[in-house]
Each structure stands twice: as structure tokens, then as C-alpha cells.
Amino acid sequence: MTTSPVGREIDRVDGRLKVTGAAQYSGDYPAPDTAYAHVVTSTIARGTIRGIDTAAALAAPGVLRVYAAEDTRLSLYPVADPYRGLAESYLPLRDTTVRFHGQAIAMVVAESVEQARDAAALVTATYDAQPPRASLADGPRVPSGPTLTGSPSQVTILAPGVESIDEALAASDVVVEAEFEQPMQHHVAMEPHAVLAVWDGDQVTVHAGAQIPSAYALVLSQRLGVLPPQVRLIGRYVGGGFGARVVLYSDAPLAAAAARELGRPVRLTLTREQMFTLTGHRSQVTQTLGLGASRDGVLNAVSHGSVAQMPAIGGFTMTPAHATSDTLYPTPNLHIDPRQVILDLPISRAMRGPNEAPGAFALETAMDELAVATGVDPVELRLRNYATATPTTGRPWSSKHLDECYRDGARRFGWSARSATPRARVDGQWLFGTGMATAVYPATRHPASVRIRLLDDDTAVVSTATSDLGTGAWTMVAVAGADALGIPLERVTPEIGDSDLPQGAPAVGSSATHSTVPLIVGAARDTIAELKRRAVTDSGSPWHGTNAEDLRYERGSLHANGRSMTFGQLLTALGSRGVDATASAPAGAPAGYAYHSFGAHFCEVRVNRLTGETRVTRFTTVADVGRVINVRAARSQIVGGVVFGIGHALLEHNPLEPDTGRLAASTLADYLVPVNADIPDIDVHLLDRPDPLLTGPIGDDGGEVGTRSLGARGLGEIGTVGSAAAVGNAVFNATGIRVRDLPITLDKLL
């Protein structure tokens, strides 16, 4: 009997390849006669290039080409709607306009990495510079565009007879009003952005990390002015993305266009410093929260305004109240007003928990302040404001067990031993404190396709062009395939990370798993149906002429008329190498419901009362994410998200020089992220409650093939949402100091 791998502790199927160095990342692929590129970036943030001197670089050893703005040899083209948002709004090296500090203005191609780098240092530019707009005070605050779901980002809901949100706040017994600031944050994925472009006639294969391989290839085809079938993207192993590998930046078009012009492969790898400006960031945002409540803590009014950076070249529209203040807590009066300021900055992009992480920091910190003001325990306060339907739409949730997350998390963490009085627990120089916060993240299903092929050696191949950013997608595809087919995991080969495969779910928005797994179940159903059809119609089959409905598939074998054969034995008898089918589905889930994952964070910190040094000593997260496919990978994802939140709370900051528009901490020596010594053991508990509305398709026998009522939701980002607030709330409990501008550094606690 085959035991399903779903919901178990499964080692990553790609783990051995990664730890032995056999897994090929974008910078590892070989190609004969490869040339190497290095980009030169601008040293001003706004203005025009007066001239670029390339003579010394062209004379340097090994140099093949120097492309400098304005250069038409690369033949790059604009991207058309509806894909314009998946690329930069300008063509690299095609004009002399400088739009931000660190923009690519030239590129050197040479015989070696070192020759290209050294020659690039010889390129000099002169500018007609203008003062950059680099501060939220440098422009008008214009309304933000629609949310990610397309709904209006501005929302006002008032109770009957209430004229304004200010009136509702003024009428409340207890009012908390505060402003929160969060600086720009960067993805800083472990793997640098590297591209290898290889042309074969009019076909180009590009090796690069991409979170949406199919879209990446399509947008690149438009940039290069070729048809989509002429571009193939391969990125089987990706060393982190977090939103930085969603869109097409300058690196791939420049490398591919140079390879076409040179007639040989070109590899371009961005430096760490270049990644800070050329591959996106989370925008700086200021938020203003107003909470009005009764004396026992029941909300009467919520006002959530924000002002975020929007680069003049375009970027991610930040609406931090989306999926936080408009989702978590019911209130008769709600006002949401996100705004943005157009600035001369590098492109902004989504970053893990793109709206929800900054939004939850503000909302969950304000809720902690409300708990202090009312004297209600923070957990109890949230239970008193528990939403059974979405506050803005009134739709019920497909599945919600957030109350269980609160109670289970409090028990596991030992919350009952907490003192609500700041500075109540002291051990020598250290002040100890505890805090908690809520996590919420939408569960969005994207269009996708999956192909399953059964082979004559009794193995199966599950193919879909999704991407694995280290999240465990390789293993997820294999686990779901083994479960759906009822065969051992080791007999399933996953294929992902290649745009030539069936269009995969985007590895964005914590959506790849619950977009992909139902289609794996569907592809298994259809492949088994095709196997049965072949069994009754092919003269080489022992069941030739039998009614297909009399055949029963179970655990990799067909059974009928007192005879059994594995699918491999049957295919061998038919002289067939394999049989396959593809299942596809559009975006969306059953209408009439809201789909979210939920969680609760509990944190303990110690703060040195003499130096302000802050250390996280304990952290517990309980998450409600539907059915868990692979417990080991799921727990790892939650831990990673919490580490993100700790970094946001305590470390990450890249100061922007307002006079120059330069990001001053664009190296991993200056832009601090958590390391092992900063992180305690993180206790993660997953409720594993299947979402009844997110199930696999029904089989042709009236029952479900493979996984029963799967009900998986995404979890890649839920750990990041609210975890920074839990840290900040614990710091307040330890010190009595409320820090509303991140990161919480030593000087703010002294």
C-alpha cells in the first residue's frame, strides 16, 4: 500500500543537487565562446547625459563592444499592453535621459568577466544634472491607483447618520492616533541577477531567474522585437526572488540584444550594488492610523491613510491598508486613503507581503496601543473584534480559524505569564518584554496548466512552467503528483522553470501551490482516463474491447476482469513510450467568498537598558493556511517570513541622500539583514485545516482522484505579515518606549 506524501515531512527532491553544487543556477550554465558584459551606471539621479567617453574602454584588453546611450545597435523595442507593467517604462541605452541614480547608461562586453569589469571602470560620463525629487516632501500627494485585485484603493464606509470618519473617531470613547514610517527595503536575494543569452539562428534561449517564466519570455520577445515562440526562458533553480524577479529589468534585454549583435553568447551578472538600483525595492511609506473604540475595546472607527514613493519611471502601487485594515477587524466606520508622490528613484516592485507587511506593522502596532489604552489584553482585544465576514464586502471566508491561531499560539508561547506593565521583567542589564500581532494574506488563484505523462517504466513526469525560488515548488509538484497518481514519490519527476513547459502559475502572491495542485489532480484524472481509453481501444491490450468504465485505476495499476497491470506494463504491451494529458484552469476560485490565510505571531525580546541593544529571544507563529502539502517546506517558509519581519523591525534601512538621489547603503556590508546570531529557534505550528472551497477536481467515477478535498492555500508571505509589529510591541512591553519608525535602532531606545 502506497502512503500519500501529502502533509508529511518530505525532504526536498532537489536538495541533494543543491548541497552538492550540481544544481545549475542562471550564472552556472555553460556556453561555448561566451562573452561577458558589465554595465556602467549613472552617478546622478536626474538630468541628461552630455557625453560618454568610451575610448579608453574600447582600447582595453579583450574588449569586444562598448554600447553607450544613445545606442541603436541593440535594437530594443517598447512593451505593449497588457504586459507593459511587467517591464521598465523606458528602453535601456536608447536615450540620454537619466531617470534615477544607478541607471544603466553603458555596457562593456569583453572576453572575460575581469576584462569587462575593468574596462567598464574606464568609461566616463558628463551630465547636465537637475535637482532630483527624492523626498516624500518633494511633490504633491496624488491618490494611488487600484489595488492588486483591481478594486478602488480609496474606501469610505460610514454608519447611518455619520458624516465623516473624523466625526466617528471623535464620538468614540477611546481614540488612538499615530503616524508610522518605514524606509525603503530591498529584496537582496542570495543569488545575483545573472543572465546568459544564447542565439541559435532566430531563436534565443535565456538562462535567468524568473518568478513567472512564461510571462518573462513573452515580455522579452517584445523587447527584442521577435515572436514569442522565438524566446525560451530557462530558470530551473533560483536563489531567491521575494518579488525582485517578477518583471523584466534591463539586464536580460541588454544581454540578449548584445548576443544577437555580436553573434555569440553573452553573460551579464549584476554586481550587488547594481542590484539595489536595477532590480526593484519596496517603497518608503508613511502611514497614519486612527482607531476609535468603546471602553471595552470594540472598534467603532478605523482610518488608515498612507503616502508612498512612486518612481517617475513607474513601479509597484503601494496600498498598505489593502488586505489589512479593510480585512481584519469589523467596524461600522472605515476610511482608507492611500496616496503617492512621484519621485526620481529606481523602480519599485512588490516585496514579500508587498502591501500587507507595512500595513500590518501600522495596524497591529496601533491595535497594541489600543490594548494599552483600554486595558484589554492584546489577544482578547483581537477576539472582541473578530470578523466573521470581510468588513468591506460582507463576504464570508472560504475558511477561517484565526481564533484558534490566537488561542493555540498564546498557549504554546506562554502568553498568560505576561505582564501588561512595561519594564516589569528585568534580569540584570536586560529588560524583557512580549508582544503579539495578527497575520493575514490573500489567497489568489492564477491561471495555469499542468501536464502529466505516464511512462513505460512506471514513472511519471509532472510538468508546469512555475518557478522555485527556494520555496519548495520542485517538491510540491512531485508530492502532489505522487498523491494524485497513488504512486511512490521517487517514481515522480517534476519539470518546472522552463517557459517551453505548459504555462505555470506565477510564483508570486503566495499563489503557486493552490493554483498548481488542483491542476495536478485534474491532469492525473485526465491522464488516467486516456490510459483507460488506450487500454480498451488498442488491440495489444488485454482489455481490448472492454468498456472503459469497467477499468479501475488504483495506485499505479489498472484492474478489470480479474487481471491487473501497472501502467508501465500496459504501455509496454501497447508498444507505447507514454501517455499524457494537460489540465488548465483560469484565474479565480468559487465566487461569493473571500479567500485568505491567517496567523498569529508571539514574540519575546530582551533590550539592554544601558545600550539599547535588542535581541529576539523567542518567537511563536501559528498559521491557518489550509491543507499543508509538505510540512517541512511549509514550516521553513514560515520561519523565513518571520526572519524577514525581524529584519524589517530591527535592521533594514537604506538611507536616501536627498540632494543626490543616491541610496547610501547599497552593499551587504551596509544594508543589514538578519544572520544566524540574530534569530532564535522559531516555533511554528500549522493548523492544517483544508479549505473546503479550494479542492481538487472530481474524478469521472464520482469520487476524487488522488488527493481528497485538498484545500491548500499559499503561505510564502504570511510569516512576514505582522511579525515586525510583534517585535515592536514586545519592545514596548520591555521598555515602555513606542517606536513607530522602522527600524528600531539603539538610539531610539535610549
Side-chain angles (χ1 to χ4, degrees), residues 182-206:
Q182 186 165 305
M184 282 187 284
Q185 296 168 341
H186 299 270
H187 308 83
V188 289
M190 186 178 297
E191 179 194 11
H193 281 245
V195 177
L196 172 66
V198 183
W199 288 85
D200 183 5
D202 62 356
Q203 307 282 319
V204 63
T205 298
V206 175

Side-chain angles (χ1 to χ4, degrees), residues 667-706:
T667 72
L668 288 185
D670 300 306
Y671 184 82
L672 302 181
V673 296
V675 297
N676 286 346
D678 299 311
I679 304 300
D681 288 338
I682 297 173
D683 173 35
V684 174
H685 179 63
L686 305 165
L687 296 187
D688 198 27
R689 299 290 191 87
D691 190 316
L693 296 179
L694 295 177
T695 65
I698 303 301
D700 54 10
D701 60 354
E704 289 187 82
V705 174

Side-chain angles (χ1 to χ4, degrees), residues 143-377:
S144 300
T147 68
L148 286 171
T149 60
S151 61
S153 57
Q154 279 78 22
V155 176
T156 299
I157 300 172
L158 298 174
V162 177
E163 296 296 326
S164 69
I165 193 67
D166 291 335
E167 178 184 322
L169 287 168
S172 302
D173 294 331
V174 180
V175 178
V176 169
E177 293 181 298
E179 186 171 277
F180 303 86
E181 294 186 10
Q182 186 165 305
M184 282 187 284
Q185 296 168 341
H186 299 270
H187 308 83
V188 289
M190 186 178 297
E191 179 194 11
H193 281 245
V195 177
L196 172 66
V198 183
W199 288 85
D200 183 5
D202 62 356
Q203 307 282 319
V204 63
T205 298
V206 175
H207 299 274
Q211 294 181 234
I212 319 176
S214 301
Y216 191 101
L218 190 152
V219 175
L220 181 56
S221 73
Q222 292 197 16
R223 266 287 189 254
L224 296 172
V226 300
L227 297 174
Q230 294 173 253
V231 178
R232 180 183 184 188
L233 182 282
I234 298 176
R236 296 190 177 96
Y237 300 97
V238 183
F242 316 116
R245 287 183 161 100
V246 173
V247 305
L248 186 75
Y249 300 109
S250 299
D251 53 347
L254 288 175
R260 177 171 57 186
E261 201 267 331
L262 274 168
R264 60 189 288 189
V266 169
R267 186 190 308 282
L268 170 59
T269 302
L270 298 181
T271 67
R272 274 289 172 196
E273 187 171 4
Q274 290 169 352
M275 286 173 61
F276 277 83
T277 61
L278 292 176
T279 65
H281 65 277
R282 194 202 306 271
S283 291
Q284 175 189 357
V285 61
T286 297
Q287 301 177 75
T288 303
L289 256 291
L291 302 181
S294 64
R295 297 191 188 283
D296 58 359
V298 176
L299 287 168
N300 173 60
V302 175
S303 176
H304 192 160
S306 61
V307 181
Q309 299 168 336
M310 172 54 73
I313 61 172
F316 181 82
T317 300
M318 183 174 284
T319 55
H322 176 56
T324 55
S325 289
D326 67 357
T327 301
L328 269 177
Y329 306 115
T331 176
N333 301 286
L334 175 67
H335 179 66
I336 294 173
D337 185 20
R339 294 180 176 268
Q340 58 192 23
V341 177
I342 308 301
L343 300 176
D344 301 309
L345 297 174
I347 191 170
S348 63
R349 292 312 313 166
M351 182 174 170
R352 199 175 197 171
N355 292 308
E356 297 77 9
F361 170 70
L363 175 62
E364 291 301 291
T365 304
M367 286 292 286
D368 197 69
E369 297 190 47
L370 182 62
V372 173
T374 59
V376 179
D377 178 83

Side-chain angles (χ1 to χ4, degrees), residues 389-451:
T390 56
T392 51
T393 67
R395 291 177 181 172
W397 274 283
S398 59
S399 176
K400 182 182 181 182
H401 304 283
L402 177 57
D403 53 347
E404 188 175 343
C405 293
Y406 289 140
R407 294 188 176 100
D408 196 20
R411 178 187 58 80
R412 296 173 69 92
F413 184 77
W415 182 258
S416 61
R418 171 186 185 266
S419 172
T421 304
R423 304 179 73 94
R425 183 181 168 197
V426 183
D427 184 3
Q429 294 185 5
W430 296 95
L431 305 172
F432 283 78
T434 54
M436 60 84 56
T438 306
V440 63
Y441 196 81
T444 304
R445 183 172 281 178
H446 292 281
S449 298
V450 173
R451 180 179 65 235

